[in-house]
Amino acid sequence: MLVNKKYVKRHAKGFVYLHWINAICFFMLFLTALPLYADTFRFLYDMFGAKTLQNAHRFFAVLFVLNPVIGLFTARGGIWRMFSEVFKFNGKDVTFLVKFPLELIGKHPEGIPKQGFYNGGERMNIALQLATWAALVVSGALLWFGDGLIDNSIRAWMIPIHSLCAGIGFAGSIGHIYLALVANPDSVHGMQDGTIKVDYASAHHGEWIDDMVREGKIRQKDLDEVLKP
Ligand code: HEM
């Protein structure tokens, strides 16, 4: 069923909270570690003190781990869909990824295949963020608690691994934010109240909308009403 004749339900509230808590944690973890990497950010130590930043880093690390654990109860459907989507990467996603970059420079590429709930780029973002989350958590936990538990030569490797994953995750999230806020601003509504405009959904996730019609979740008549020229 369409919401207010114009919107389609996309994300559950629990998944929206999960997303934003994860985003805040990620950036706070990044920010509180920055002075360790570049003197330009030493002013953060001067402002807050090194100990406060270290404690804040650990606080957000705990939240970063607990958030998806709580999400298993409050956002099970969204988490399950993310995991299942990662393994659905197929030829259509490749065609999408080849043609899509033109959209970034304001063109409308021909022949993009209808996309499912998540498109090829989103699937890549999901895979990247899941992998960096796991690697950050494991390497971070070993840096925090590993003294005496594992060999110091192995523990020393956790620093470059942790840093590399933070860098890759950050680069990915900058691309993701650009695509959400600049290239597809209509998508952001889905991460506010969980709904997106049905004409946007139909243009960007046509296969998902077709499925919803087939499953009787949207009436073809209501859809035609919104999409009529
Ligand atoms: C200002 C910051 C951010 C904005 C505006 C934003 C926006 C969005 C939007 C609109 C969606 C839903 C896309 C859809 O329904 O198809 C989404 C999904 C997602 N976001 Fe974010 N996001 C932000 C930060 C982050 C950060 C920091 C991370 C990870 C560290 C992240 C990870 C994800 C993932 C994995 C998904 C699901 C797949 C995808 O759409 O790529 N987001 N985000």
Side-chain angles (χ1 to χ4, degrees), residues 118-213:
Y118 287 122
N119 64 41
E122 290 176 322
R123 288 179 214 275
M124 280 172 53
N125 185 42
I126 292 169
L128 183 89
Q129 297 302 346
L130 288 176
T132 50
W133 181 88
L136 281 169
V137 169
V138 172
S139 55
L142 289 174
L143 284 169
W144 194 349
F145 303 110
D147 196 11
L149 270 183
I150 53 163
D151 197 275
N152 269 348
S153 60
I154 299 175
R155 195 161 159 257
W157 273 101
M158 295 308 135
I159 299 173
I161 292 174
H162 203 63
S163 308
L164 188 70
C165 291
I168 294 173
F170 183 73
S173 64
I174 292 299
H176 168 67
I177 292 166
Y178 172 80
L179 287 167
L181 293 181
V182 182
N184 296 304
D186 275 340
S187 68
V188 181
H189 204 268
M191 277 302 168
Q192 289 170 314
D193 77 352
T195 65
I196 53 169
K197 283 186 189 151
V198 73
D199 51 352
Y200 170 82
S202 185
H204 292 259
H205 303 282
E207 201 177 79
W208 171 54
I209 293 295
D210 289 350
D211 288 345
M212 301 265 280
V213 172

Side-chain angles (χ1 to χ4, degrees), residues 29 32 51-64 143-145:
L29 286 165
T32 49
K51 195 73 198 156
T52 312
L53 283 199
Q54 191 190 28
N55 287 337
H57 194 79
R58 290 178 178 203
F59 171 80
F60 285 106
V62 172
L63 210 56
F64 193 58
L143 284 169
W144 194 349
F145 303 110

